Amino acid sequence: MDEKKNELFYQPKNGYDRIDTAGRLAMEEYCKGYMAYLDAARTEREAVSEAIKLAEAAGFVDVSALTGPIAPGQKVYHSVRGKSLLLAVGGKKPMRDGVVVEAAHVDSPRLDLKQRPLFEDTEMGYLRTHYYGGIKKYQWTAIPLELHGVVALKDGSTVDVVIGRDPADPQFVVTDLLPHLAADQMQKTLAKGIEGEKLCILAGSVPYAGEGSDRVKLAVMSLINDRYGITEEDFISAELEVVPAFDVRELGLDRSLIGGYGQDDRVCAYAELAAILEQSEPERTAVCILADKEEIGSVGVSGMRSQAFERFIGQLAGDAGLVQECFSNSLCISADVTVAFDPMYPEVCEKQNAARINYGVGFSKFTGSRGKSGSSDASAEVVATVRRICDEAGVAWQMCELGKVDQGGGGTVAGFMADRDIDTIDAGVPVLSMHAPFETTAKFDCYMTYKCMKAAYEAK
Ligand code: MN
Ligand code: MN
């Protein structure tokens, strides 16, 4: 009977029952590189600038160097206003035959400073925030925080701000109520327990010497001015992001897991980046996208709905008129994380169709919510294509869905790629505690996602 089962049943295996010693060494090596990238890339801008460093070291040059269609083996990139990044390696086939595009995003949920953030209350200095993306607000209190971003000045220059990353730097916190006095708060739902307007970061407490009002506010502003030369009005044209200060660490006694902020979706961004950096002359032109604004709907000039992508493809083709033909012959891997089955919360998933930790890269035929609403729902043919690509390359993969039917749902950039007439499927790393300040992934799944991205670029 076992023989018959082996012949007929689909029986996925735990990754550790299929990876050999050499594979494990390669996995550890890959994950070291990923963890270093994640540690250095705490915002979308940093994810882009770190990626450009790696790309330039691998021989990529600005796309403006192209004088005609991209040549086989030619490596170019285009930074979309420093907030999203498009890279390509020229393939053997012409652009009209389509490209293999892999699209991840590098923005993550966070607290943005408001445009007029600074205030003082009861001789304590604060910076007001407006959260970005889907967060559980209570998770952002009483944890160490850092401030990263830019201040754009009227003279056209920008000032880079990073406070809290250097171990010698101070950090920030959003305070929470002590349990002793939280009887009323504890009666509230998790959604209401911490209000958005209460997510203010503590910025100082020492008053400026002398008499008068707003002395702590003045002292804080004065310290910011000493460090960055800016005044309060300059916050108005700033993008300052409050992000968790946790280091990226191995988790578990067996060190099989990775903990860190912003793994959604820098874990997939790094996977496709590492994969494209290794391409020399693929069959079809390889395109790698690190998009911005996915967490708020892929909007804006740096989001996946932006025409910046069409322009880039036109540049690669050497002819904007070929873009649509190229799209219709292309394959897109929408590289985004999925939910990993959590034994502590089994009730939100249907186990047979949930992604499992250590079972490899997770494909989602569809996302969306309710009756697959909002999902681009990859065709059976596209699913078959990626099954073949992964199996031929020895990639451990699993098919999964984002929670059980009617539990909730979500979306990725997939729909915006499919709207362009590109065959698209979601694939990515299963994550525990997604969107939390400290997210968890498995090394095996991170490595297999990279192998999947590489196999897709190298597919014949
Ligand atoms: Mn995502
Ligand atoms: Mn997300």
Side-chain angles (χ1 to χ4, degrees):
M1 197 170 82
D2 280 353
E3 205 174 308
K4 199 68 183 167
K5 279 187 183 167
N6 289 340
E7 185 192 337
L8 295 182
F9 280 5
Y10 173 56
Q11 298 170 309
K13 268 194 195 154
N14 188 299
Y16 285 89
D17 292 328
R18 45 183 298 177
I19 193 167
D20 60 16
T21 311
R24 284 180 79 146
L25 285 172
M27 173 183 85
E28 293 295 342
E29 202 51 38
Y30 169 78
C31 287
K32 268 191 203 132
Y34 164 53
M35 291 170 74
Y37 176 78
L38 187 63
D39 227 5
R42 305 234 158 200
T43 65
E44 73 287 7
R45 287 176 192 264
E46 291 173 359
V48 166
S49 58
E50 290 298 315
I52 290 175
K53 277 186 215 162
L54 295 171
E56 287 182 342
F60 283 70
V61 298
D62 193 274
V63 70
S64 60
L66 281 185
T67 51
I70 189 166
Q74 204 170 3
K75 300 175 177 184
V76 298
Y77 72 85
H78 173 58
S79 162
V80 183
R81 294 167 176 84
K83 299 177 61 150
S84 91
L85 185 66
L86 310 168
L87 307 103
V89 177
K92 294 189 185 88
K93 292 183 175 167
M95 285 291 291
R96 60 174 356 122
D97 287 359
V99 298
V100 177
V101 50
E102 299 180 353
H105 66 93
V106 287
D107 60 315
S108 295
R110 60 182 189 246
L111 308 179
D112 286 339
L113 288 199
K114 290 197 185 192
Q115 297 332 112
R116 286 191 66 186
L118 185 58
F119 73 102
E120 168 177 344
D121 192 336
T122 326
E123 294 178 279
M124 309 246 277
Y126 292 93
L127 293 161
R128 295 186 196 280
T129 70
H130 194 136
Y131 67 96
Y132 171 98
I135 64 166
K136 293 161 91 175
K137 298 184 189 82
Y138 70 88
Q139 293 179 332
W140 291 74
T141 64
I143 60 168
L145 299 165
E146 302 174 354
L147 189 63
H148 293 234
V150 298
V151 182
L153 302 175
K154 285 193 285 187
D155 67 5
S157 64
T158 55
V159 179
D160 287 319
V161 171
V162 181
I163 305 175
R165 189 82 291 259
D166 189 315
D169 257 359
Q171 296 180 331
F172 303 94
V173 74
V174 174
T175 56
D176 194 3
L177 213 45
L178 63 170
H180 317 63
L181 300 181
D184 292 343
Q185 183 193 42
M186 301 287 256
Q187 296 306 311
K188 296 179 183 174
T189 61
L190 285 176
K192 296 267 172 66
I194 303 290
E195 290 160 34
E197 289 291 353
K198 286 198 163 54
L199 294 174
C200 297
I201 62 170
L202 190 51
S205 66
V206 178
Y208 201 85
E211 300 290 314
S213 63
D214 278 341
R215 294 195 304 148
V216 175
K217 176 179 170 180
L218 180 59
V220 169
M221 195 59 237
S222 167
L223 288 168
I224 294 171
N225 179 261
D226 289 347
R227 188 159 166 158
Y228 294 112
I230 63 168
T231 66
E232 189 184 11
E233 189 179 324
D234 294 325
F235 280 121
I236 286 174
S237 53
E239 283 178 358
L240 295 170
E241 306 177 6
V242 179
V243 297
F246 305 125
D247 289 334
V248 178
R249 296 293 296 260
E250 293 177 314
L251 300 179
L253 289 167
D254 55 14
R255 300 171 181 267
S256 62
L257 304 158
I258 295 171
Y261 162 69
Q263 299 206 68
D264 174 8
D265 181 32
R266 293 169 198 142
V267 66
C268 297
Y270 184 78
E272 53 174 52
L273 180 65
I276 201 168
L277 296 188
E278 288 173 23
Q279 299 307 309
S280 49
E281 211 174 291
E283 275 304 291
R284 291 198 280 176
T285 294
V287 177
C288 171
I289 304 175
L290 311 189
D292 181 28
K293 297 279 179 276
E294 192 278 339
E295 297 294 356
I296 58 169
S298 296
V299 289
V301 286
S302 51
M304 203 59 251
R305 295 154 103 151
S306 165
Q307 295 282 316
F309 178 55
E310 275 72 9
R311 178 166 174 266
F312 183 68
I313 294 294
Q315 286 173 298
L316 299 182
D319 179 357
L322 286 177
V323 170
Q324 216 47 56
E325 190 182 347
C326 171
F327 282 171
S328 69
N329 292 318
S330 295
L331 171 68
C332 174
I333 309 286
S334 162
D336 206 344
V337 298
T338 189
V339 56
F341 181 82
D342 187 337
M344 295 299 114
Y345 300 94
E347 63 277 9
V348 301
C349 288
E350 180 268 287
K351 212 168 179 178
Q352 185 164 307
N353 286 281
R356 300 265 303 266
I357 286 288
N358 288 333
Y359 276 71
V361 58
F363 287 110
S364 298
K365 185 176 183 298
F366 54 87
T367 56
S369 51
R370 302 181 304 282
K372 304 190 183 184
S373 184
S375 166
S376 51
D377 200 9
S379 72
E381 290 85 347
V382 172
V383 180
T385 300
V386 294
R387 276 176 67 195
R388 172 182 60 77
I389 290 172
C390 285
D391 284 345
E392 284 175 2
V395 176
W397 59 272
Q398 52 186 326
M399 185 47 89
C400 50
E401 60 178 11
L402 192 74
K404 71 181 185 190
V405 179
D406 284 338
Q407 183 67 37
T412 64
V413 302
F416 309 116
M417 303 308 281
D419 284 350
R420 293 173 156 116
D421 191 25
I422 303 175
D423 273 326
T424 303
I425 185 165
D426 279 299
V429 177
V431 177
L432 295 165
S433 324
M434 194 196 295
H435 282 208
F438 194 73
E439 300 172 309
T440 298
T441 57
K443 285 180 180 175
F444 180 81
D445 303 329
C446 296
Y447 180 58
M448 284 300 155
T449 299
Y450 150 73
K451 296 255 288 179
C452 166
M453 299 302 154
K454 188 162 140 64
Y457 281 144
E458 290 168 5
K460 300 290 175 204

